[in-house]
Amino acid sequence: QSALTQPASVSGSPGQSITISCTGTSSDVGGYNSVSWYQQHPGRAPKLLIYDVTNRPSGVSNRFSGSKSGNSASLTISGLQAEDEADYYCSSYTSSSTLPYVFGTGTNVTVL
Amino acid sequence: EVQLLESGGGLVQPGGSLRLSCAASGFTFNNYAMSWVRQAPGKGLEWVSVISASGDSTYYADSVRGRFTIFRDKSKNTLALQMNRLRVEDTAVYYCAKELNGHIYGSFDYWGQGTQVTVSS
């Protein structure tokens, strides 16, 4: 099972919106509505931002939103803030009988 | 408040063994699937293993299958990972993570702080 593909880096200025893509296959992203997104600051544990493609856990800012089309999912960060500078990972459930999850390769977001 | 506290990491020689533990509190441990996820230095997240809420189902990444064993102690609300025949490439921070909805699905709403495992001679 290969990792989901994300761009290595994305950058934006404060106040702008950016979008991070996550590309998989019909055996993972395209086949299930179980895409999640995580934010990780250096030296910290990941934090769940989005689950089930579009849902935000309680306490997560509504500046974070998720979507999916075909075998690709996206995370959009609106009103970019300095504190959004971090690594972001997508994940998906998979149809594999031996490996039910797969993470994305990760995207480093820089706030210019 | 949900808390996950990992322990057991350290420095071990190639071919050696370690057992990681994750003490869970603040939720009904026996109702949730639990996972181990690792992150090698400067690398991305890699899912390692998951165990169902009942403990009846376990899954492993190809890179660790046959060497690692995940299990849970329901009486102690503890998740564990027995790691044998360790390799240099197993060097990473190991996180335990709780499933959001209980079953094996892949959305982890709580994570521990991580424990460092270093495999080196």
Side-chain angles (χ1 to χ4, degrees):
Chain A
Q1 182 74 38
S2 299
L4 306 176
T5 301
Q6 298 180 231
S9 62
V10 173
S11 61
S13 299
Q16 286 186 328
S17 293
I18 61 170
T19 296
I20 303 168
S21 61
C22 170
T23 302
T25 69
S26 58
S27 296
D28 39 64
V29 175
Y32 303 92
N33 285 325
S34 64
V35 176
S36 299
W37 288 91
Y38 300 89
Q39 176 192 61
Q40 186 182 34
H41 288 104
R44 303 293 298 273
K47 172 188 176 182
L48 180 64
L49 293 178
I50 298 287
Y51 66 96
D52 290 352
V53 181
T54 62
N55 295 328
R56 282 187 308 274
S58 173
V60 173
S61 171
N62 59 9
R63 297 188 299 105
F64 296 95
S65 61
S67 63
K68 191 184 89 165
S69 178
N71 295 337
S72 291
S74 297
L75 173 72
T76 297
I77 308 175
S78 305
L80 199 62
Q81 299 179 0
E83 68 210 48
D84 299 331
E85 190 160 290
D87 292 326
Y88 292 81
Y89 295 90
C90 63
S91 74
S92 175
Y93 187 81
T94 81
S95 62
S96 169
S97 60
T98 58
L99 185 69
Y101 311 139
V102 62
F103 281 104
T105 50
T107 299
N108 179 255
V109 168
T110 300
V111 181
L112 301 172
Chain B
E1 178 191 5
V2 172
Q3 288 193 332
L4 300 171
L5 185 61
E6 299 101 336
S7 61
L11 173 64
V12 61
Q13 292 186 339
S17 298
L18 274 179
R19 177 176 291 189
L20 306 184
S21 294
C22 173
S25 61
F27 64 102
T28 305
F29 180 69
N30 297 339
N31 288 352
Y32 291 87
M34 299 290 294
S35 281
W36 288 98
V37 177
R38 70 184 180 184
Q39 188 168 34
K43 302 297 184 182
L45 300 175
E46 180 189 17
W47 170 81
V48 173
S49 182
V50 62
I51 186 168
S52 63
S54 66
D56 292 342
S57 297
T58 58
Y59 300 90
Y60 300 90
D62 291 344
S63 56
V64 307
R65 188 175 300 114
R67 301 186 298 122
F68 290 12
T69 302
I70 189 172
F71 56 97
R72 59 197 300 161
D73 185 331
K74 297 181 179 182
S75 65
K76 296 181 180 179
N77 285 0
T78 299
L79 174 72
L81 185 69
Q82 177 66 42
M83 305 185 296
N84 298 328
R85 306 203 310 272
L86 282 160
R87 304 168 179 169
V88 171
E89 54 264 37
D90 294 320
T91 295
V93 174
Y94 285 72
Y95 296 100
C96 67
K98 167 189 168 293
E99 281 279 4
L100 173 69
N101 290 322
H103 52 278
I104 294 174
Y105 194 61
S107 293
F108 306 117
D109 60 343
Y110 287 94
W111 297 65
Q113 83 289 352
T115 186
Q116 176 70 49
V117 172
T118 302
V119 185
S120 175
S121 55

